[in-house]
Amino acid sequence: MGRRIAVVLFNLGGPDGPDAVQPFLRNLFDDPAIIQAPLPIRWALARFISKTRAPSARKNYALMGPGGGSPLLPETEKQAEALQIQLAASLPGDEVRTFIAMRYWHPFTKDTAKDVTAWGADEVVLLPLYPQFSTTTTGSSLKEWKKHYAGPTRTVCCYPFEESFIAAHVDQIMAAFDKAGRPADVRLLLSAHGLPEKIVAAGDPYQWQCETLTAMIAARVPQDWDVVGCYQSRVGPLKWIGPSTDAEVERAAQDKRNILIAPIAFVSEHIETLVELGEEYKLLAEQHGAPSYTRVEALGVHPGFIRTLAGETLAALDMAGSIRSCAGSRLCPTGASGCPHADVARKAGQAVKVAAD
């Protein structure tokens, strides 16, 4: 009899209708990984920010369809189904089921943990749909999972440099370039969600992973293109990592470049890709005289991306330890103290010290 293997896909989540927008935002900003403030202050800020941002956010969600909700869950469900089919073909003697654990809206992580327990999984693989590791995304999801699931797990922390993942991005970019009529004088903007500088300064490896991926993609697209990595979605008064995507869109437009813009940290279509990249920055480019502006679609169920997810899952099932990156062991540079492998090493060192004492 084969194993029961549960593959849990971590994602952000999104409101499923207008009434869910404010509570979704409240859950997001009440996460200590997002707003690093003592509980009473964070609680108050989360309620203030969610209340003030909800009206404009509802308008943006309405742009994506008549239901006024995020397409993130349906998109994630498609990815989960495609991954389950591929894993079933690779593991014919086992029963594989994919589960979705959203961080800030349904299906919540705590409910998914109960479902995995009730199903009776023999093996659990935690697989983030955040390709790059950040303490604010995968790190937060892992902490939430550990609150609600006591059993052993195998974790994929990140896979930004996996060959099939990079190739899938390049394939999407070149498809968009062809659709745009293969213009000359291209500036390719590779946009990722931004972070406050203080989070990166504290050891978060996200920026390093994004910028290394940018260089890898740049090496595979036409060499006469300008390629620029940039960061979007800034909120709040803190200084964020840069350059900002809106500033780079404006600069490319003023330079009379044909703009291709691709998300490299979002793998599913949602508000940041469809509205921010697809509508707001397009208008900005037109206002500043860009000859053309083309948004590259998120990876979605691109075969190369699903192969990446399947390959990382299979590698996790075969590993001796409990956590892996696409490099197998630690991927991040030594100074990245926020890397989850650094945490594993610290705990191992503490265990050795206790045993010695």
Side-chain angles (χ1 to χ4, degrees):
M1 185 175 178
R3 301 168 293 177
R4 281 192 156 193
I5 300 170
V7 182
V8 181
L9 299 177
F10 286 155
N11 212 334
L12 183 78
D16 45 23
D19 292 343
V21 171
Q22 186 169 331
F24 163 76
L25 292 173
R26 186 171 62 243
N27 291 339
L28 171 66
F29 291 110
D30 199 27
D31 183 354
I34 304 299
I35 293 186
Q36 299 174 347
L39 180 60
I41 297 174
R42 189 178 71 248
W43 184 90
L45 282 173
R47 277 143 187 80
F48 173 76
I49 296 170
S50 62
K51 184 176 181 179
T52 55
R53 292 192 66 191
S56 61
R58 287 191 192 98
K59 292 178 182 177
N60 285 335
Y61 281 111
L63 293 174
M64 294 185 288
S70 170
L72 188 60
L73 179 57
E75 291 292 305
T76 305
E77 289 171 339
K78 293 175 187 175
Q79 292 165 326
E81 181 181 4
L83 176 60
Q84 183 168 304
I85 291 169
Q86 186 144 336
L87 288 173
S90 301
L91 299 166
D94 298 313
E95 184 179 357
V96 182
R97 182 181 293 185
T98 52
F99 295 81
I100 296 170
M102 296 298 194
R103 184 64 184 87
Y104 304 117
W105 203 245
H106 304 285
F108 286 117
T109 302
K110 63 181 180 180
D111 298 321
T112 302
K114 290 177 184 176
D115 291 342
V116 170
T117 301
W119 186 59
D122 301 308
E123 296 270 11
V124 178
V125 177
L126 305 178
L127 183 63
L129 292 178
Y130 314 111
Q132 301 86 7
F133 181 86
S134 174
T135 55
T136 62
T137 53
T138 303
S140 177
S141 290
L142 286 172
K143 286 181 181 178
E144 184 69 8
W145 178 265
K146 289 173 183 177
K147 289 180 186 177
H148 303 289
Y149 190 83
T153 58
R154 299 170 182 269
T155 300
V156 177
C157 65
C158 56
Y159 42 87
F161 310 149
E162 172 58 36
E163 172 60 32
S164 54
F165 176 70
I166 299 168
H169 271 301
V170 173
D171 188 51
Q172 292 286 81
I173 290 165
M174 297 312 297
F177 175 59
D178 289 341
K179 189 175 180 180
R182 303 180 67 85
D185 299 323
V186 167
R187 183 164 297 164
L188 173 63
L189 303 182
L190 300 175
S191 185
H193 198 291
L195 283 180
E197 281 188 353
K198 72 172 189 176
I199 291 176
V200 174
D204 194 296
Y206 175 79
Q207 183 178 16
W208 174 80
Q209 291 192 6
C210 286
E211 293 178 0
T212 304
L213 174 61
T214 293
M216 290 177 169
I217 293 173
R220 299 181 186 216
V221 298
Q223 292 305 291
D224 61 337
W225 290 8
D226 287 341
V227 181
V228 178
C230 46
Y231 299 93
Q232 65 185 89
S233 309
R234 180 185 177 277
V235 293
L238 294 177
K239 186 176 182 182
W240 279 40
I241 58 176
S244 66
T245 302
D246 54 354
E248 287 302 321
V249 168
E250 184 175 335
R251 184 169 73 91
Q254 291 171 342
D255 290 344
K256 302 306 177 186
R257 294 284 185 161
N258 290 288
I259 299 171
L260 286 179
I261 190 162
I264 60 167
F266 303 119
V267 298
S268 311
E269 302 289 19
H270 62 307
I271 193 167
E272 280 88 354
T273 62
L274 295 174
V275 176
E276 195 170 6
L277 295 184
E279 302 289 340
E280 294 175 0
Y281 294 157
K282 180 180 181 181
L283 179 60
L284 183 66
E286 291 171 348
Q287 288 172 340
H288 287 87
S292 69
Y293 178 96
T294 302
R295 183 184 74 87
V296 179
E297 293 181 356
L299 293 179
V301 292
H302 187 287
F305 179 53
I306 301 303
R307 279 198 302 274
T308 299
L309 297 179
E312 289 301 309
T313 301
L314 294 171
L317 289 168
D318 286 340
M319 69 183 175
S322 62
I323 187 168
R324 66 168 273 114
S325 71
C326 58
S329 57
R330 178 169 178 152
L331 178 71
C332 302
T334 306
S337 59
C339 172
H341 292 269
D343 189 47
V344 170
R346 281 192 295 269
K347 289 179 179 177
Q350 289 168 359
V352 169
K353 185 177 184 300
V354 169
D357 293 343

